Amino acid sequence: MTALKEAFPALFVNARIDTFWLGRDSLGEVICRIDAYTAAGADGVFVPGDLDLTTVEAITGHSRVPVNVLASPRYPGSILAEAGVGRISTGSLLYRAAMSEAMRSLAVLDGDEPAEITSVLSYQAFSDLNRPQSS
């Protein structure tokens, strides 16, 4: 990354830290990566995952560069901004919201109760729908 920033100093480099996304819930590892990427010239960091507000605040409180997180149905953008988030990405949220509503509508057509899906499916729940069921 250092060579990239030297060659293109005006380029904004947003370093992605997938620790939480991959299920390794280690705030310490995230903090170490923020420090390493910032030292190498990152202009921002992106920490995707279903983060609770305390974790977001710990990350933004430590980072010297803007922090980007995924939008969450649990926290409005204004709450994330108050927690110090500099950028909010929708990721698959809009697609999952549309598909959740479509599935709710289809359930009604099948005569099922629409309450089976009461909110936007999580990334994991949506992914599980696409996995073949073992017999």
Side-chain angles (χ1 to χ4, degrees):
M1 183 177 331
T2 304
L4 179 67
K5 287 301 289 184
E6 288 172 1
F8 303 99
L11 180 68
F12 187 93
V13 176
N14 196 24
R16 182 173 169 145
I17 302 172
D18 279 348
T19 308
F20 291 113
W21 192 251
L22 297 174
R24 294 193 319 258
D25 295 341
S26 172
L27 181 58
E29 184 177 348
V30 170
I31 297 298
C32 287
R33 288 174 183 254
I34 288 171
D35 292 344
Y37 292 148
T38 303
D43 301 295
V45 293
F46 176 36
V47 186
D50 186 18
L51 309 177
D52 61 60
L53 205 51
T54 302
T55 301
V56 171
E57 289 170 335
I59 291 168
T60 60
H62 178 82
S63 183
R64 299 180 322 234
V65 297
V67 175
N68 175 199
V69 299
L70 286 173
S72 169
R74 294 189 300 166
Y75 307 113
S78 60
I79 297 293
L80 292 173
E82 287 174 14
V85 171
R87 181 172 179 242
I88 302 168
S89 297
T90 60
S92 64
L93 177 61
L94 299 177
Y95 176 71
R96 288 184 291 109
M99 293 302 292
S100 296
E101 188 58 37
M103 291 172 64
R104 188 173 12 263
S105 297
L106 290 172
V108 171
L109 292 175
D110 284 343
D112 296 333
E113 290 294 320
E116 287 182 28
I117 301 171
T118 58
S119 63
V120 176
L121 290 170
S122 69
Y123 181 86
Q124 186 62 54
F126 192 77
S127 295
D128 290 345
L129 292 174
N130 294 313
R131 286 196 174 81
Q133 300 298 318
S134 57
S135 18

